Amino acid sequence: MNNNFIENIQSFYSDLSIENFYLNEIGQNNDVLIVNKSLVFRFPKYKNGIIQLRRETEILKYIKGIVSTPIPNPIYQSFEGVELGKVFTGYKLIDGVPLWKESLTDVKSVELVKGLAKQLVSFLVELHSMQVEI
């Protein structure tokens, strides 16, 4: 299946040199492929995931220049058709670690917790202060 993902990426982005890739196993709703250790490509696992990924991509593009927190910037995308394995979005890998509950409960530094809280609050304030066009 991974090779099909690579073929689909290269059919839309033939100038993208793919030297290595691996499947990230944590995707619940998407198959996640890490390419060249620097790019993330997400392929929905389910038909309704195509609609969700398209909407998420639109939101990310909209808020890209508004929030100061690093967010995925979908620079690669294919939403032609609705065939699983062919629909994808891709962006540069963001430095850091996922914000899992287990990661947070293991943090012992009060300063680090305050720093994380400040980043999260800043992001939410920026997000909620946007003018939304419906």
Side-chain angles (χ1 to χ4, degrees), residues 20-132:
N20 56 64
F21 61 90
Y22 66 91
L23 189 64
N24 182 319
E25 301 290 334
I26 64 172
Q28 182 177 1
N29 298 311
N30 296 285
D31 287 312
V32 179
L33 203 63
I34 308 299
V35 173
N36 298 339
K37 299 177 186 171
S38 64
L39 299 171
V40 177
F41 284 88
R42 295 174 48 213
F43 294 81
K45 291 182 179 182
Y46 314 104
K47 287 273 187 188
N48 65 347
I50 293 172
I51 297 166
Q52 293 171 333
L53 187 63
R54 181 188 307 263
R55 182 71 178 131
E56 179 183 321
T57 300
E58 290 170 359
I59 292 168
L60 288 169
K61 289 163 87 178
Y62 181 79
I63 68 172
K64 174 180 71 169
I66 298 171
V67 297
S68 58
T69 304
I71 60 169
N73 178 16
I75 51 179
Y76 302 101
Q77 53 193 298
S78 167
F79 288 105
E80 292 184 18
V82 290
E83 189 176 338
L84 293 174
K86 293 197 175 190
V87 172
F88 65 85
T89 189
Y91 45 83
K92 291 183 182 175
L93 185 65
I94 297 173
D95 287 335
V97 295
L99 203 56
W100 302 117
K101 179 182 177 182
E102 297 79 23
S103 302
L104 290 175
T105 56
D106 290 343
V107 176
K108 305 297 181 213
S109 166
V110 173
E111 291 304 312
L112 182 55
V113 171
K114 286 181 181 179
L116 291 170
K118 184 178 177 182
Q119 286 179 10
L120 186 56
V121 167
S122 295
F123 174 75
L124 292 173
V125 166
E126 291 170 344
L127 194 63
H128 287 283
S129 64
M130 279 191 263
Q131 298 296 323
V132 180

